[in-house]
Amino acid sequence: MSRSPSGRRVSFSVTITRVTETSVILALVVLTALAFDFTNGFHDTANAMATSIATKALRPKTAVALSGILNLVGAFLSVEVALTVTNAVVKIQDKSGAPKTELLADGGSALLLIILAGLVGGIVWNLLTWLVGLPSSSSHALFGGLVGATIAGLGWGGVNWNGDGSKLDGVVGKVLLPAVLSPVIAAVVAAVGTWIIFKITAGVAARFTDKGFRWGQIGSASLVSLAHGTNDAQKTMGVITLALIASGHWSDTANIPLWVKVSAAVAIALGTYLGGWRIIRTLGKGLTDISPPQGTAAQSGAAAVILASSHLGFALSTTHVATGSVLGSGLGRPGATVRWAVAGRMVAAWLITLPAAGLVGAVMWWVGDLIGGMAGALVVFTLLVLASVAMWMRSRTGRVDSSNVNDDWEGTDVTDVVEKPVPAVAN
Amino acid sequence: MHNLGFALSGAWQVLIAGLVLGAGLPILFALGIRSLAWGAGEATVSDSGVTVPGTRRPVGTAIGYLLFAVVVVGVLLGITFIVASGFGYKLDFSGFLPALVAK
């Protein structure tokens, strides 16, 4: 159990100070949540658009603009309240979505600190994986951060490891098992689709296949973007609303404040439009070389698997599905090669996403708790800003943007550039 | 271990749905492209170097566009599904035509 920072005699002036202190912490939580939403957007642009950019079905800027708009629309399409999003992995809310009462003392600052630390864990991991150009799951980063912060704040018992046995739930059911199963399912679907498409269109004039599959790609990629906006923006909306309820600024567990919805939708759309070019490059060029029919099969497979899963309540990560389907399309195309070293590095990143984001979340909680109160939250937020700026500065060496996202993969590995700057020698 | 059971039972349903829609629709789309190309006839290059369009086969063109229409309906159902579930409805496939019912 965490120690409570309270214990002083509550006088009128102390109450006033505390109200303002909580408001500052709340503001930091909201800002950090929107920042996470933004990284979620640019981290996941690749899931929908990497294949269309790689095959030049869409120009890079057009692709990210289209995906951004569809994410924005998608975020408004779902009015389902995702207030209970944290329940999948931690026990800081009850079933209705209301925060646990024992965390509400002192203006809900105990709960706010857990959320803040968890969000910082998610953002730091998202930025780090973006820096090395690896598509890792944003939802897993968020869950990892929350689990770490909860373990630090409430102990192991605060984590929902295995659910209560009535449905697929907990860290095992909502995070680990889908992470193993969903890329495999997506890979099988895309491989079958690609293989049959190549059989069907063998010998058909390129003027028909090029134009046809170009539209096939755009359509299927759009569907993935829309589904992404619907699923992922919800998570941030849920987290912000939880923080508002905990600090006493909102009480309705059946609705989300409009400004929360609008700001979360705009944040994810802007992030998507910025485009995580490093990740787009890895997914579009690094894993396998993609042709238009493959791209169509990969995105259709991804869209179908994402939609079917959300229909069946089978939680999964868009990133794992998209990566699996791109890999599958490489396996299904006769004569294509899959760069297993790149795939292996992605899987390694997936494996350490939860513990790595969790570690950052836990450390941030300890730092925030040690200093305590508003000062603690401010220090945590400052650390996040410093880490983000440092990683952004690092990304300036070996820059990847819309101009070079489609360069040949061999010899210009993003990861290598980051680890040891390589002189630009053609090989 | 109950989670493993739930996950596996969910996984095969996702796999079936994924294969039917995720592989099935692009396959129909590919057939549409093939049909369209067949409908346009095979172009040949004459002795004088001029490209001569082949004999058109309207049936192929028609079948091609019909297949595209089926794919578009499939995609529209997908979009309806996303929108409907967000507004508290779900698609019901028990009748002949899919219908929206309140959840």
Side-chain angles (χ1 to χ4, degrees), chain A residues 137-165:
Chain A
S137 163
S138 300
S139 339
H140 283 201
L142 174 63
F143 286 154
L146 283 172
V147 166
T150 305
I151 292 175
L154 305 176
W156 289 88
V159 178
N160 179 8
W161 294 107
N162 228 335
D164 59 4

Side-chain angles (χ1 to χ4, degrees), chain A residues 344-395:
Chain A
R345 215 155 50 200
M346 285 180 193
V347 172
W350 295 353
L351 288 178
I352 54 175
T353 292
L354 207 66
L359 189 66
V360 178
V363 170
M364 287 300 157
W365 187 88
W366 278 315
V367 170
D369 187 58
L370 197 68
I371 301 167
M374 182 175 74
L378 277 169
V379 168
V380 168
F381 187 75
T382 313
L383 286 173
L384 169 67
V385 172
L386 289 177
S388 309
V389 170
M391 282 188 271
W392 181 75
M393 299 282 277
R394 195 89 171 104
S395 77

Side-chain angles (χ1 to χ4, degrees), chain A residues 77 79-80 162 165-169 173 177 185 189 196-197 200 202 204 208 212 223 230 300 304 307-309 311-312 314, chain B residues 2-4 6-7 11 13-15 17-19 22-23 26-27 29-31 33-34 37 40 79 81-83 85-87 103:
Chain A
L77 280 184
V79 294
E80 233 166 353
N162 228 335
S166 64
K167 60 177 192 309
L168 199 59
D169 196 20
L177 288 172
I185 297 173
V189 171
I196 299 179
I197 287 176
I200 290 173
V204 174
F208 291 103
L223 212 52
T230 321
S300 315
L307 291 178
S309 314
H311 183 64
L312 296 163
F314 187 73
Chain B
H2 59 270
N3 263 322
L4 188 61
F6 286 124
Q13 294 182 53
V14 174
L15 180 65
L19 283 172
I27 287 169
F29 191 75
L31 283 171
I33 289 175
R34 174 144 211 136
I79 295 173
F81 169 76
I82 303 178
V83 179
S85 64
F87 287 87
K103 268 203 271 205

Side-chain angles (χ1 to χ4, degrees), chain A residues 83 86 92-93 97-99 111 115 237-246:
Chain A
L83 192 51
T86 71
I92 55 175
Q93 298 174 268
L111 188 105
I115 300 178
M237 295 179 197
V239 170
I240 296 178
T241 310
L242 173 62
L244 291 175
I245 295 176

Side-chain angles (χ1 to χ4, degrees), chain A residues 157-403:
Chain A
V159 178
N160 179 8
W161 294 107
N162 228 335
D164 59 4
S166 64
K167 60 177 192 309
L168 199 59
D169 196 20
V171 174
V172 172
K174 292 264 188 182
V175 182
L176 299 182
L177 288 172
V180 175
L181 293 170
S182 62
V184 178
I185 297 173
V188 170
V189 171
V192 169
T194 307
W195 191 75
I196 299 179
I197 287 176
F198 271 97
K199 287 276 169 214
I200 290 173
T201 56
V204 174
R207 66 194 167 106
F208 291 103
T209 53
D210 286 356
K211 196 177 164 210
F213 286 116
R214 178 165 183 254
W215 283 108
Q217 277 195 287
I218 296 171
S220 51
S222 300
L223 212 52
V224 175
S225 294
L226 198 66
H228 184 265
T230 321
N231 285 323
D232 281 27
Q234 295 291 316
K235 290 175 186 142
T236 306
M237 295 179 197
V239 170
I240 296 178
T241 310
L242 173 62
L244 291 175
I245 295 176
S247 58
H249 289 80
W250 187 259
S251 56
D252 185 356
T253 55
N255 283 298
I256 284 175
L258 182 67
W259 69 265
V260 172
K261 204 173 262 191
V262 173
S263 53
V266 169
I268 204 166
L270 283 178
T272 308
Y273 177 67
L274 181 73
W277 298 108
R278 291 167 174 270
I279 303 171
I280 293 175
R281 177 161 169 69
T282 307
L283 202 53
K285 302 296 284 188
L287 207 48
T288 183
D289 292 308
I290 298 166
S291 65
Q294 260 176 294
T296 307
Q299 293 316 137
S300 315
V305 169
I306 293 166
L307 291 178
S309 314
S310 68
H311 183 64
L312 296 163
F314 187 73
L316 46 65
S317 157
T318 322
T319 308
H320 294 157
V321 173
T323 314
S325 65
V326 169
L327 191 109
S329 77
L331 291 173
R333 179 187 172 187
T337 45
V338 172
R339 293 186 192 90
W340 288 105
V342 179
R345 215 155 50 200
M346 285 180 193
V347 172
W350 295 353
L351 288 178
I352 54 175
T353 292
L354 207 66
L359 189 66
V360 178
V363 170
M364 287 300 157
W365 187 88
W366 278 315
V367 170
D369 187 58
L370 197 68
I371 301 167
M374 182 175 74
L378 277 169
V379 168
V380 168
F381 187 75
T382 313
L383 286 173
L384 169 67
V385 172
L386 289 177
S388 309
V389 170
M391 282 188 271
W392 181 75
M393 299 282 277
R394 195 89 171 104
S395 77
R396 308 300 286 179
T397 31
R399 208 173 157 193
V400 181
D401 58 26
S402 59
S403 67

